[in-house]
Amino acid sequence: MAENVALSVAPLGPTESDPERCEGEEEVRGNEAGENKQTGPVAGATQNRLAKLPLSRIKALMKADPDVSLASQESVFIIAKATELFVEMIAKDALVYAQHGKRKTLQRKDLDNAIEAIDEFAFLEGTLDV
């Protein structure tokens, strides 16, 4: 009663004719080997140390939105990291304008100049006007 099943086997490694596939597969394998999948309170403590913004405050801001009913620790952490990266990026771009003015301190006009000059910040135009 043994059944014979024919299996087609793909080559294990990338071929020489496909160098782009070689690089992508190595990156995937490296990411899988280096992944650290922690869960529970230890992961939360690690995330707290990695985030510079207060996660409790970010969670409160997220829950202030009527469309958000629940916010997982992971989503709060991701929002915190994205916010940190955004603030860092806009601050670095504004610093360039401060340095053109031979200053070390960022001023509002430096942020305004960065928002006007950089297309990625176009969604902020008019938001800082008081």
Side-chain angles (χ1 to χ4, degrees):
M1 283 200 222
E3 294 180 42
N4 291 335
V5 178
L7 297 174
S8 63
V9 178
L12 294 177
T15 61
E16 291 178 18
S17 63
D18 196 4
E20 293 176 351
R21 185 173 171 205
C22 297
E23 296 171 5
E25 287 182 357
E26 289 174 13
E27 291 175 2
V28 170
R29 284 189 210 121
N31 289 343
E32 290 174 355
E35 285 182 7
N36 187 1
K37 295 184 179 182
Q38 292 182 345
T39 58
V42 174
T46 303
Q47 288 177 351
N48 264 343
R49 283 184 259 143
L50 294 175
K52 295 174 184 163
L53 296 174
L55 297 181
S56 59
R57 179 76 53 102
I58 290 176
K59 187 170 187 171
L61 288 170
M62 288 173 66
K63 287 189 149 200
D65 185 349
D67 294 334
V68 177
S69 58
L70 294 173
S72 68
Q73 284 293 89
E74 291 83 9
S75 65
V76 173
F77 175 73
I78 293 298
I79 295 293
K81 290 306 287 183
T83 303
E84 289 172 20
L85 292 172
F86 174 75
V87 170
E88 180 181 347
M89 186 170 75
I90 197 169
K92 283 182 179 180
D93 292 335
L95 179 63
V96 171
Y97 290 99
Q99 289 173 339
H100 285 305
K102 298 185 175 146
R103 291 177 281 108
K104 293 182 180 180
T105 304
L106 290 181
Q107 296 177 355
R108 182 187 176 115
K109 62 183 176 183
D110 301 321
L111 287 171
D112 290 337
N113 289 336
I115 289 170
E116 289 177 20
I118 299 169
D119 293 337
E120 295 158 345
F121 300 137
F123 72 97
L124 291 172
E125 288 181 4
T127 58
L128 295 180
D129 296 333
V130 178

